Amino acid sequence: MAAGTATPLLLLLSVLCFVGASRAANVTYDHRAVVIDGVRRVVVSGSIHYPRSTPDLTLPWRRRWCLQMWPGLIQKAKDGGLDVIETYVFWDIHEPYDFEGRKDLVRFVKAVANAGLYVHLRIGPYVCAEWNYGGFPVWLHFVPGIKFRTDNAAFKAEMQRFTEKVVDTMKGAGLYASQGGPIILSQIENEYGNVDSSYGAAGKAYMRWAAGMAVSLDTGVPWVMCQQSDAPDPLINTCNGFYCDQFTPNSKSKPKMWTENWSGWFLSFGGAVPYRPTEDLAFAVARFYQRGGTFQNYYMYHGGTNFGRSTGGPFIATSYDYDAPIDEYGMVRQPKWGHLRDVHKAIKLCEPALVAAEPSYSSLGQNTEATVYQAPSVCAAFLANIDAQSDKTVKFNGNMYKLPAWSVSILPDCKNVVLNTAQINSQVTTSEMRSLRSSTQDSDDSSITPELATAGWSYAIEPVGITKENALTRPGLMEQINTTADASDFLWYSTSIIVKGDEPYLNGSQSNLLINSLGHVLQVYINGKLAGSAKGSASSSLISLQTPVTLVPGKNKLDLLSTTVGLANYGAFFDLVGAGVTGPVKLSGPNGALDLSSTDWTYQIGLRGEDLHLYNPSEVSPEWVSDKAYPTNQPLIWYKTKFTAPAGDDPVAIDFTGMGKGEAWVNGQSIGRYWPTNLAPQSGCVNSCNYRGSYSSNKCLKKCGQPSQTLYHVPRSFLQPGSNDLVLFEQFGGDPRLISFTTRQTNSICAHISEMHPAQIDSWITPQQNAQRPGPSLRLECPREGQVISNIKFASFGTPSGTCGNYNHGECSSSQALAVVQEACVGMSNCSVSLSSKNFGNPCSGVTKSLVVEAACS
């Protein structure tokens, strides 16, 4: 696009999409809820981290969203029933002063406002978030006299300076609710109560200082401290966890708030993929509101991607999908998104009673409980069965109700069930990342579909050992983070060994080499040749490598490449957790040993290719070699090629199967670290995870024995029309001919509804009219605008079994099911089919029957 047309285009988009500033709002709180302009609010919130997705300026006029991907994500959150978007502020990406691109916090907050939602701004500035160094800039570690997160003058000065910078930036853009903006809450510190005992009295003093400092900034909105049971007034202490229904604020004047309801869990390199069942998440949400909560936030609602070197941990994977309701690629995850949307609708039907009355609790029997919110003109009730094994039938207000195990029924009128958390009315969507390579995967370019044809691969060899003039030599072994200041993942340690032939650590020419390291990855080179490697793990980054080595007479070069995979982000004194080779480094043989730990070592920070900016295609370098016989399956190789982006607007990822470990750049932008050779343990996964009973991060795992991550998201905004550049740095060794581009494709939409399900929630009108509510119905909707249901792959009414993509007829099955569903749905973008004997007859009496359907859209 010509530069002269960019400004009018942006003005046009702003006219189409921008919602003007609202009037100033007064945000306070009382013992029941956040209060906005004098009105108590029941709030549903979700976390979307701005740097883990992209602003995406595009022109998809056929869509209902003017901009992607921030506004698209935010709109899907709004459609899912959210009132608030919650985000951390990531200190490390904003200094020196940088609020551009994915870092444009002001633009992100305005995008939320344009959608008509509120914002909870979690300034921290410690964020944890599985983010590198917990969000702290690493230079902070080198401020003289500094001690993190305690009563330390140097730290408090820097923390206050940055917090004031963020607040001033928000005020300057008029973004606080007191100015007419969307920010209704802010957070200072983060989960400090989990670790403050380690800091003693100084920790408590720091916490009180942080609270006072925040309040003094005069934002006009309340401040919170999460996981801080002794947060001083007026700050609200809040809960984080898988369940917070039993949480109680530290004052009777504060509302019950849940700042992190973990919708899944994060993925680590070397770990299996965690997920959280939809029914359990819905149960946790309903229990929280049942037990007096009025503000709940999903962590995460969209997890996104850890681009560049932003992952923490160490060993946090590049994908931060988190099994969230909106997946890493920005697509709604069904049935989680849809079922939670229905839960939110049910909660909102109860809102008049929830904000008008105090909860009244009563037992309905063992492991069952009723909560009633009764006011003169409104009544809402929650019936809970917290038994992890048995369904229950209970009597409430003279009526009988069936409660599945580990579920909550919501009654907006204290009589009729609008939703049960264990009964999902939402459809299921199955999708896959479809490869755009041919099945042969030959080494020549003919194996790639025409739109992805490359210009062949160029390569550059990263030299082993010291090549930079600014290398430094010191006696002894130096800790890595203190040496590199995290300017690079890589630190070379280099020394020499003189062999005369009679050394006691030799057995002929052989010796055993022992190296101890704080992690995270170590490669050993003897005379330029790889002699061994080892890696730590998410549970322990420590490395103890023992390998036989062969030495030659005379001078031998020992080069160690130590690599970090994200810096620690959690725990007391996490900022002091080190990395790199700390020793001993020792050669041993039958007659003695040689300890090299105290000898002179030469250090090089980073790779030569990094200094030459080989990842930047706009910078020409003579290092690149174009040759069809390029090296493969060798360590320390840079690769480069050109490609044409996949057609269409489906989400794009690269499948790095065939590569070892490294980092990838598309048009100079890093899509993160890749590591497809790091496999999950063989055990610990389950074929089907029972949602009943308390959830934990290792309860529901999949992909045991497989790579933790093979697919790496390439945002559409990283791509450009015509030619694109892909650069890889391969550390371990791989074959770039084996990688492939993939796009996200929906395979099927499915639904499974039984006669015991409540009616669709949208059929609820008023308590007086609910006697005429229809019964349960199955609803299908194509996931993309312009699509229609083109085929009914399977339909069965009776006692079908199986899951989406693998349904089977039961012994009881209506012969009319397929024809009824085809007539109602084919050619429609969405359809609804009632579970009635008029439609399907009665194939088996005395049995609870279900309707299952699998359909395709095109």
Side-chain angles (χ1 to χ4, degrees), residues 473-517:
T473 301
R474 297 286 187 276
L477 296 165
M478 298 171 60
E479 190 275 330
Q480 183 162 349
I481 300 169
N482 281 309
T483 305
T484 66
D486 199 40
S488 170
D489 283 353
F490 304 101
L491 178 64
W492 282 105
Y493 295 70
S494 182
T495 193
S496 297
I497 307 157
I498 304 298
V499 173
K500 298 178 180 178
D502 57 352
E503 285 76 9
Y505 55 83
L506 287 176
N507 184 6
S509 62
Q510 302 291 307
S511 185
N512 292 313
L513 177 62
L514 166 68
I515 305 173
N516 284 348
S517 169

Side-chain angles (χ1 to χ4, degrees), residues 541-654:
S541 63
L542 300 181
I543 294 170
S544 183
L545 183 150
Q546 297 187 59
T547 185
V549 295
T550 300
L551 302 179
V552 299
K555 185 177 180 180
N556 291 262
K557 194 73 175 298
L558 172 61
D559 294 298
L560 311 178
L561 181 59
S562 180
T563 310
T564 53
V565 191
L567 305 188
N569 60 264
Y570 181 74
F573 310 106
F574 76 86
D575 53 297
L576 303 180
V577 175
V581 180
T582 53
V585 176
K586 186 182 296 186
L587 289 166
S588 60
N591 300 312
L594 174 64
D595 192 335
L596 299 170
S597 307
S598 300
T599 193
D600 283 354
W601 289 84
T602 301
Y603 297 89
Q604 176 179 298
I605 299 170
L607 306 173
R608 185 165 184 266
E610 290 177 311
D611 279 8
L612 295 174
H613 299 165
L614 294 184
Y615 51 83
N616 188 347
S618 65
E619 297 190 21
V620 178
S621 172
E623 300 293 315
W624 290 110
V625 178
S626 296
D627 189 339
K628 288 187 176 181
Y630 52 85
T632 60
N633 300 311
Q634 295 181 26
L636 307 184
I637 305 290
W638 294 80
Y639 296 102
K640 181 174 71 170
T641 192
K642 290 185 177 293
F643 67 95
T644 302
D649 54 11
D650 294 316
V652 178
I654 299 177

Side-chain angles (χ1 to χ4, degrees), residues 298-350:
Y298 296 100
Y299 187 99
M300 302 291 297
Y301 198 76
H302 164 73
T305 305
N306 292 315
F307 299 109
R309 300 171 53 240
S310 61
T311 63
F315 294 96
I316 299 298
T318 299
S319 171
Y320 201 67
D321 181 84
Y322 223 89
D323 197 39
I326 303 175
D327 71 16
E328 178 179 4
Y329 302 95
M331 310 294 286
V332 295
R333 173 175 274 113
Q334 298 282 32
K336 184 171 279 189
W337 181 89
H339 189 47
L340 293 175
R341 173 202 58 197
D342 291 348
V343 172
H344 306 153
K345 289 180 179 180
I347 297 297
K348 291 296 186 177
L349 289 171
C350 301

Side-chain angles (χ1 to χ4, degrees), residues 391 402 404 423 752-758 776 796-801 810-814 835 841-852:
D391 298 347
K402 292 185 177 180
Q423 296 173 327
H752 183 169
I753 306 296
S754 80
E755 293 175 320
M756 299 303 297
H757 277 59
S796 180
F797 179 78
T799 57
S801 61
E811 293 184 3
C812 163
S813 182
S814 169
L835 273 69
N842 187 7
C844 45
S845 59
V847 176
T848 299
K849 293 171 281 295
S850 297
L851 173 63
V852 300

